[in-house]
Amino acid sequence: MTRKVLVLEDETNIRSFVVINLKRAGYETIEAGTGEEALEQLQRNPDTNVALLDVMLPDMDGFEVCRRIRATNNRIGIIMLTARSQEMDKVTGLMTGADDYVTKPFSPAELTARIDALCRRAGSEPVVDTGEISQPPFLLNTRNRTLEKNGARVKLTQVEYSIVKLFMDNAGKAMSREEILDAVWGKDYFGEVKIVDVNIRRLRIKIEDDPQNPTFITTVWGYGYKWGA
């Protein structure tokens, strides 16, 4: 199984630093210095597992690159790389379809751990489950890793799929943010629990009849979330 990472970073020294460390960790890398170049590289390398996208770029920002990737590809893992630590940047990146974010400066070990976790979730591991979970109006196909609502396909990223499967496997059970974080992102995840909330917000937009008044993913105040389909 190839483990291929796109590194989109316009600062050559930072890009080289990232590439060297990823190669040491056993990854194959492809590089880009602009958003357009990154999109072209992904077309030429459809087997890319993870895209590492810098936010500040000379032609378009990383959020726009993320949107364009997600318009055609829900399987690839996406990590935003930002020098700015403002909360809004993190939320914007996640709402445009990113799975995770890393704030500069970062350690090579942290970045590699995040990429490792995304690669595992993005289907790099063999899928042994071959069934379906039916909880009307939803049908989750665990072989194809797809979700339907009332017979219509709902486009999910791999992280969103993992969250829905976790909820369906625990229907009616209140799950804490920490439980969801451990199950979906892994116990060795370095990041903040807030990433769970942003992904839930994104999921609600996709599956709820009224995202402002959710009925399938309900909030358990001060604790976490509950699946009620």
Side-chain angles (χ1 to χ4, degrees):
M1 174 66 68
T2 60
R3 300 197 308 165
K4 190 180 288 188
V5 179
L6 166 72
V7 181
L8 169 57
E9 166 63 67
D10 64 318
E11 291 187 44
T12 311
N13 57 338
I14 296 177
R15 190 168 74 238
S16 299
F17 170 74
V18 171
V19 165
I20 287 167
N21 282 285
L22 288 179
K23 285 181 175 175
R24 279 185 188 146
Y27 284 97
E28 182 183 341
T29 59
I30 51 176
E31 300 179 46
T34 67
E36 288 293 350
E37 190 183 350
L39 295 168
E40 288 166 9
Q41 286 279 35
L42 284 176
Q43 283 190 320
R44 288 197 291 269
N45 296 272
D47 58 338
T48 303
N49 303 97
V50 173
L52 185 64
L53 310 179
D54 189 35
V55 171
M56 301 294 286
L57 296 166
D59 56 341
M60 65 179 90
D61 65 28
F63 304 137
E64 179 59 25
V65 179
C66 182
R67 281 189 202 95
R68 294 194 190 186
I69 293 172
R70 280 289 178 240
T72 58
N73 187 334
N74 280 303
R75 289 196 68 81
I76 191 171
I78 297 178
I79 299 176
M80 304 303 297
L81 190 60
T82 174
R84 302 171 298 176
S85 57
Q86 282 95 337
E87 203 62 37
M88 205 55 232
D89 277 353
K90 300 172 183 176
V91 172
T92 302
L94 293 168
M95 288 305 288
T96 54
D99 299 297
D100 203 352
Y101 53 82
V102 177
T103 304
K104 300 175 191 174
F106 53 85
S107 72
E110 177 186 2
L111 184 61
T112 303
R114 300 281 187 99
I115 292 172
D116 284 345
L118 262 189
C119 266
R120 286 197 300 272
R121 277 204 311 280
S124 295
E125 77 280 12
V127 179
V128 293
D129 201 342
T130 56
E132 292 180 339
I133 303 175
S134 177
Q135 291 173 14
F138 298 104
L139 178 67
L140 191 75
N141 185 313
T142 54
R143 183 178 62 241
N144 299 329
R145 299 169 74 89
T146 56
L147 178 70
E148 292 181 0
K149 179 184 177 184
N150 294 319
R153 176 72 61 87
V154 180
K155 285 187 174 181
L156 298 181
T157 68
Q158 291 303 303
V159 168
E160 291 164 351
Y161 166 85
S162 297
I163 294 172
V164 170
K165 185 173 187 302
L166 179 68
F167 277 144
M168 285 188 158
D169 286 339
N170 295 275
K173 177 190 172 189
M175 303 195 70
S176 72
R177 289 171 173 82
E178 289 76 16
E179 275 183 276
I180 298 168
L181 191 72
D182 284 351
V184 175
W185 280 266
K187 292 187 185 300
D188 55 352
Y189 178 70
F190 283 84
E192 305 165 47
V193 74
K194 190 177 290 291
I195 197 170
V196 173
D197 299 319
V198 183
N199 273 275
I200 296 293
R201 191 190 314 174
R202 207 168 68 195
L203 249 181
R204 281 173 169 166
I205 291 169
K206 293 184 176 185
I207 70 169
E208 295 283 356
D209 299 322
D210 178 3
Q212 299 304 316
N213 296 288
T215 57
F216 303 122
I217 304 174
T218 53
T219 300
V220 181
W221 294 108
Y223 185 70
Y225 300 95
K226 185 168 72 170
W227 177 260

